[in-house]
Amino acid sequence: MLVRLQKFLAEAGLGSRRYCETLITGGRVSVNGQPVTVLGAKVDSGKDRVTVAGQPVSIERKIYIVLNKPAGYICTSDDPEGRSRVLDLLPTDLPRLYTVGRLDVNTEGLLLLTNDGTFSLRLTHPRYKMPKTYRAEVAGTLADDQINQLLHGVWSEGELLRAEKIFGVRPVGERTELQLVLREGKNRQVRRMLDGIGCSVRRLVRLSIGSISLGNLKLGEWRNLTNEEVRSLIAN
Ligand code: URA
């Protein structure tokens, strides 16, 4: 597909389109060995060879993955303790991927991974208030006033943390299960809120982000998001 040279350079991660224009007009960009110094040129990202200051530049294929993360796996790519990484659950021939936000090592469930920084920001920045649904199991019972506290806000480390919605509260053996919808995306938010009302979390699973839910994915399994799913998440 033909795209403007400055757009190609920006998508390859060299900087803003404006900055990439200055790279072109400054004579640092060549296409198929020929310097291009005027704006307006178009390139085919699949065919043309683009270099900046002699270094080849390419646009990575964008990848969007949904994974059902098992407990015990970390979201970072390096771990001094040598624990298993969610990246180890994926094929090795994929481009370098990053998790969209994080789940704690002991949290299970829906995790998105991508190499598209704009997509990731769209889903994680608090400004967009992306809804995320969790199922938690806590020890013992849960009183109505504890549920009200979760809805009205629980202070933790100087932040007031709120659940937008609580539903599906039911006893399961010695535990109580509940589902929470959060839109704030604060670090370790569910555990901090439940700790804050005196509940001990025994299990935490993320069920959905926006319109994407775990569906039939088994623990440790993954699949690519469809184009439609990617679009619906961004449009949310
Ligand atoms: N809230 C938490 O406490 N932990 C997670 O992993 C995700 C949300």
Side-chain angles (χ1 to χ4, degrees):
M1 197 180 64
L2 284 178
V3 290
R4 283 183 182 274
L5 185 52
Q6 60 267 40
K7 181 165 190 268
F8 173 92
L9 295 171
E11 284 187 9
L14 272 89
S16 67
R17 275 192 215 179
R18 184 75 201 88
Y19 172 73
C20 292
E21 285 174 4
T22 66
L23 292 176
I24 298 168
T25 52
R28 301 178 62 84
V29 183
S30 297
V31 178
N32 301 324
Q34 297 301 314
V36 175
T37 54
V38 289
L39 301 176
K42 291 191 170 176
V43 287
D44 182 334
S45 56
K47 286 197 197 134
D48 290 318
R49 204 163 38 78
V50 179
T51 57
V52 174
Q55 299 300 313
V57 171
S58 63
I59 299 184
E60 263 184 348
R61 182 168 56 103
K62 296 284 187 274
I63 308 264
Y64 307 91
I65 280 176
V66 52
L67 167 77
N68 187 352
K69 175 191 172 304
Y73 284 76
I74 56 158
C75 287
T76 46
S77 55
D78 294 304
D79 183 39
E81 295 172 40
R83 291 173 292 184
S84 306
R85 311 169 314 158
V86 292
L87 291 175
D88 298 328
L89 296 164
L90 301 174
T92 49
D93 58 356
L94 293 174
R96 193 180 167 91
L97 298 178
Y98 302 88
T99 63
V100 175
R102 288 191 187 167
L103 291 177
D104 303 331
V105 62
N106 289 324
T107 303
E108 299 162 44
L110 192 150
L111 185 67
L112 299 175
L113 297 105
T114 187
N115 55 352
D116 181 344
T118 311
F119 173 82
S120 193
L121 186 69
R122 185 71 182 71
L123 266 61
T124 51
H125 196 286
R127 175 175 12 135
Y128 299 111
K129 297 188 166 40
M130 179 62 72
K132 298 182 182 122
T133 307
Y134 296 87
R135 187 178 67 233
E137 288 177 26
V138 296
T141 56
L142 199 58
D144 285 350
D145 72 302
Q146 287 175 299
I147 294 172
N148 285 334
Q149 277 185 63
L150 295 172
L151 292 167
H152 286 114
V154 177
W155 282 101
S156 165
E157 299 160 23
E159 289 183 302
L160 188 64
L161 308 176
R162 283 187 59 245
E164 180 177 277
K165 202 165 147 193
I166 307 272
F167 61 102
V169 181
R170 63 181 190 120
V172 179
E174 307 274 275
R175 301 178 178 180
T176 301
E177 181 182 291
L178 69 156
Q179 298 195 27
L180 308 92
V181 180
L182 307 184
R183 281 187 185 263
E184 296 173 330
K186 302 269 172 60
N187 188 34
R188 299 186 66 254
Q189 185 165 349
V190 178
R191 291 178 194 277
R192 285 163 63 199
M193 291 178 72
L194 290 169
D195 278 355
I197 59 163
C199 285
S200 169
V201 177
R202 296 289 193 245
R203 189 171 177 210
L204 182 57
V205 182
R206 181 153 66 195
L207 302 176
S208 67
I209 297 182
S211 52
I212 307 300
S213 50
L214 278 176
N216 297 327
L217 277 185
K218 298 200 174 52
L219 274 174
E221 281 184 354
W222 63 276
R223 66 174 178 84
N224 288 296
L225 291 179
T226 63
N227 290 342
E228 184 48 44
E229 287 174 321
V230 171
R231 268 196 295 273
S232 80
L233 280 169
I234 297 171
N236 217 304

